[in-house]
Amino acid sequence: RDENLKEAPATPPHNLSEYFKQFLFPQNECELHNFRLSFSQLKWDRWIIAPHRYSPQYCKGDCPRVVGHRYGSPVHTMVQNIIYEKLDSSVPKPSCVPAEYRPLSVLTIEPDGSIVYKEYEDMIATKCTCR
Amino acid sequence: SPHSRGHVVFDKSPGLFVAPEDTAIELNPLLRLPKGLRRGYALLPPLLKVLSDRGHQNWESEAPRLQPHSRALRYMKRLYKMSATKEGIPKANKSHLYNTVRLFTPCSECKHRHKDLLKGDVHSVDLLFNLDRVTALEHLLKSVLLYSFDTSVPISSSITCMCHLFIKEHDFSSQVCPSISHSVAFSLHFEVRKRKWVEIDVTSFLQPLIATNRRNIHMAVNFTCLMGDPQQNTKLENPINVALVPPSLLLYLNDTSEQAYHRWNSLRHRRKNPVRPRQRNSLRIDPMGDKGKENSQGKRASRRR
């Protein structure tokens, strides 16, 4: 540690907490991102009566090499990283994907004019993982 | 998703992805389904269309949809608000079993009067419901005839109606007039409130038909309405000309397909790692959720607390 102190850091930290935070919470790592759409954008509002807005969210970011418990990833994810780095780089690295979802209730008009209320499974991403 | 690929249902019942015949050819082979599957989910075909190479297809070219009655729309919007949050998420505290509710308006009616049959004005309505949209995986929990009426009767007056419900069977081979297979008679007493809806539970009456996948249900309803309440010994008097809008048919269904939200799965999941104290009441809950009981238990719990 003394040596580190001796060397001047590349970017002198204005405040230490910000500086150390980038190691605790690495940037661009896999996380949930907000995304909100309205059915009128998809021209579906003629037959989807409710909800007016829909927030499916999405997952994006890098997966760390040693995934560990933060993402609840199975051990296989680390094995896949090892395969990618050591054995065959054509095998893709683990991806940042949704791990948990929430349902969505949709009220629609059917072609015959009847109306249906239905609760659909897995329509809103609530959590991301690497696998 | 990968985990569902192995489970895509390819048998006769509509499965995971349903595409209208004409677009199935354009979709890539992975998404194409065998012929003969009926359209099942309002949400999925357009998802497929958007995802297919021809996603830029102009929606105007889709066949125009029949517009439902504004009254029916109003009722279903109210049901939606009761069952889902503003973000559209099914309300967690709702203990109802159904994950699908379909409202059908009768597709044909004929009205005629029987002057001398009963005291008061007898209205007779002929109703034909087409239930094609109900899929094989949607199981009936409850069926309700939904009456709304516009009447000049002052609000908060009590009305008693005698109703006669007939199911008509068509014997197409013999070209004879429809025969009446079974009927039920009941009286209905209700207070006219601001929101003029009356729900008549006909679950047991329609169950045998819907269980045999009958898609066309032909009913006739005779009803006579009088002012007053026989139970409170008020004399039934001056028949009212209640212009009842032909009832809609409301089906509460449990969709067992993979796309549908299975409330109990998520509850069971939560039970495995409960994050808050378990619910005390038992899991046997009627399809509509037992509001009354919940309240009394809620009260008792708060009193105990």
Side-chain angles (χ1 to χ4, degrees), chain B residues 69 71-72 103-111 123-129 144-150 196-198 200 219-221 223 242-250:
Chain B
H69 196 281
R71 206 185 294 270
L103 187 144
F104 297 90
T105 45
C107 43
S108 70
E109 63 170 282
C110 49
K111 200 180 267 188
H123 290 267
S124 177
V125 180
D126 221 30
L127 305 166
L128 180 63
F129 293 104
V144 170
L145 272 180
L146 188 65
Y147 273 94
S148 73
F149 48 86
D150 46 21
K196 299 163 187 163
W197 298 98
V198 174
I200 302 174
M219 284 198 269
V221 183
F223 51 90
V242 179
L244 288 179
V245 173
S248 303
L249 180 63
L250 209 56

Side-chain angles (χ1 to χ4, degrees), chain B residues 284-302:
Chain B
R284 280 193 285 91
I285 293 174
D286 79 338
M288 299 307 294
D290 202 338
K291 294 186 193 58
K293 206 187 296 168
E294 259 176 58
N295 283 347
S296 59
Q297 279 177 344
K299 260 199 209 100
R300 210 177 312 130
S302 58

Side-chain angles (χ1 to χ4, degrees), chain A residues 15-39:
Chain A
N15 67 31
L16 267 183
S17 66
E18 283 304 315
Y19 181 71
F20 280 115
K21 204 181 277 183
Q22 66 176 322
F23 298 109
L24 276 179
F25 301 102
Q27 308 308 304
N28 302 324
E29 214 177 70
C30 176
E31 67 176 336
L32 186 70
H33 292 261
N34 274 335
F35 189 87
R36 196 174 169 131
L37 60 85
S38 73
F39 288 113

